[in-house]
Amino acid sequence: MSIPSRYSVAIHILTILEMDGEASSEEIAGSVGTNPAIIRLLLGKLKRAGIINARRGIKGSSLSKPAREINLLDIYKATEKEENLFLLHEHPNPNCPIGKNIQVALSGILDEAQKAMEDKLSKYNLSDVSSEIRQRTLSKKTGTYKKRA
């Protein structure tokens, strides 16, 4: 199992908005390599979470606050349906000694792992991602960031 790609796509979207300013869903889709409808779906989730400003029918979405104030946990919570990363299977056999006890045995461990992941994501923000990209895309000639084509 893995976290769906919508999480990394959401970070991609927000990084574009942070580095390039406003962008349309079509422009973002070109960078992400997906359909603009997927981008609009994620933009809606990010808007509901208060992370971006977007207006229907008007070109361009933008960040609602500085990138350093948007941590990766905020983005995760905005884009993922399930609150928990790990879900226990629902119907283990109660007549089996393992089936009867597996959920109790695992729940504490998985809760601890979830908390560790969330703690780690909360330590990073969107500006960490864009700073890394800026460092990787600095023009050797001018020493300045070049916007995407």
Side-chain angles (χ1 to χ4, degrees):
M1 276 188 257
S2 62
I3 295 172
S5 64
R6 67 180 162 258
Y7 176 58
S8 64
V9 170
I11 294 171
H12 190 146
I13 291 167
L14 294 170
T15 303
I16 289 170
L17 297 179
E18 195 276 329
M19 294 178 73
D20 292 349
E22 291 187 347
S24 70
S25 57
E26 289 78 15
E27 292 165 336
I28 295 168
S31 176
V32 172
T34 193
N35 188 298
I38 305 252
I39 300 303
R40 285 189 286 276
L41 175 76
L42 287 169
L43 288 170
K45 288 177 181 274
L46 295 167
K47 181 180 178 181
R48 283 189 291 283
I51 296 172
I52 65 164
N53 298 315
R55 295 168 296 192
R56 197 172 192 101
I58 297 174
K59 179 184 173 181
S61 298
S62 60
L63 299 179
S64 64
K65 53 190 165 186
R68 68 182 173 282
E69 294 177 19
I70 302 170
N71 71 48
L72 298 187
L73 180 59
D74 295 334
I75 302 166
Y76 175 77
K77 288 182 174 183
T79 58
E80 296 308 311
K81 292 178 186 174
E82 299 296 332
E83 190 158 319
N84 291 323
L85 179 60
F86 303 101
L87 300 176
L88 295 170
H89 55 294
E90 294 180 9
H91 305 291
N93 184 346
N95 298 319
C96 169
I98 296 169
K100 180 168 45 177
N101 294 293
I102 191 72
Q103 291 179 328
V104 172
L106 280 177
S107 65
I109 296 167
L110 298 180
D111 288 347
E112 199 174 307
Q114 175 84 28
K115 179 161 179 16
M117 181 205 66
E118 289 182 3
D119 288 347
K120 192 68 165 180
L121 289 178
S122 71
K123 290 180 175 27
Y124 293 95
N125 57 49
L126 187 60
S127 63
D128 293 324
V129 176
S130 57
S131 292
E132 173 76 15
I133 292 170
R134 279 188 181 93
Q135 286 179 345
R136 293 175 176 274
T137 58
L138 278 175
S139 166
K140 291 183 179 11
K141 293 178 185 173
T142 64
T144 59
Y145 167 70
K146 290 183 176 180
K147 287 191 175 188
R148 334 173 262 116

